[in-house]
Amino acid sequence: MNLTDCLAVALGGAAGCLSRYAMQQVPMLMAHKTWPTMAVNLLGCLLIGIAATIFDHREGPRFLRLLCITGFLGGFTTYSTFMLDTATMMRGGEGMKALFYLMASLAGGFVTFMAGYSATTKLIGRL
């Protein structure tokens, strides 16, 4: 890790976060609060599929991959990175590992969210 790498990730991440916020302001997506999230996650998956394929098949500067994938798409949605990791395991012949990772991440994410939600609700109730 060097300063150039850190700057690439930071600049890409800032642009990704701002882009996510902008997507949440699109009037036709604002009818229900879950639509912007789904739109961002699906678009992020499409974009990381395109970007990872391009970077895997073309030699380019490291900072550009960090800017686009780790930074921008990481700031836009980590869901896209989650799908890339799963697909990488599948392409590497680790189908069962990928399936476990996929299921454990989804179920684990929900369970840990609910644990945090429940604990915080109880804590707030006591205050």
Side-chain angles (χ1 to χ4, degrees):
M1 181 164 56
N2 59 46
L3 182 59
T4 302
D5 291 352
C6 290
L7 288 174
V9 172
L11 292 173
C17 289
L18 287 172
S19 297
R20 180 182 186 92
Y21 176 73
M23 286 277 299
Q24 292 170 331
Q25 306 311 307
V26 174
M28 71 180 196
L29 295 176
M30 293 175 64
H32 192 277
K33 69 179 186 172
T34 59
W35 293 122
T37 300
M38 187 190 319
V40 164
N41 287 336
L42 295 176
L43 180 59
C45 287
L46 173 68
L47 293 175
I48 205 165
I50 292 168
T53 302
I54 290 169
F55 285 112
D56 287 349
H57 288 87
R58 298 274 191 248
E59 193 66 33
R62 173 181 164 81
F63 80 88
L64 194 55
R65 183 182 182 101
L66 291 171
L67 177 81
C68 296
I69 294 178
T70 306
F72 181 80
L73 291 170
F76 191 58
T77 172
T78 57
Y79 186 77
S80 58
T81 304
F82 166 53
M83 288 300 127
L84 176 62
D85 291 344
T86 304
T88 299
M89 285 182 239
M90 292 290 291
R91 285 193 317 261
E94 300 176 300
M96 291 306 294
K97 183 178 179 181
L99 182 61
F100 175 78
Y101 176 70
L102 183 67
M103 299 309 293
S105 294
L106 291 173
F110 184 72
V111 167
T112 54
F113 169 82
M114 290 306 296
Y117 174 81
S118 296
T120 305
T121 301
K122 289 176 183 176
L123 180 63
I124 289 172
R126 291 181 183 176
L127 298 179

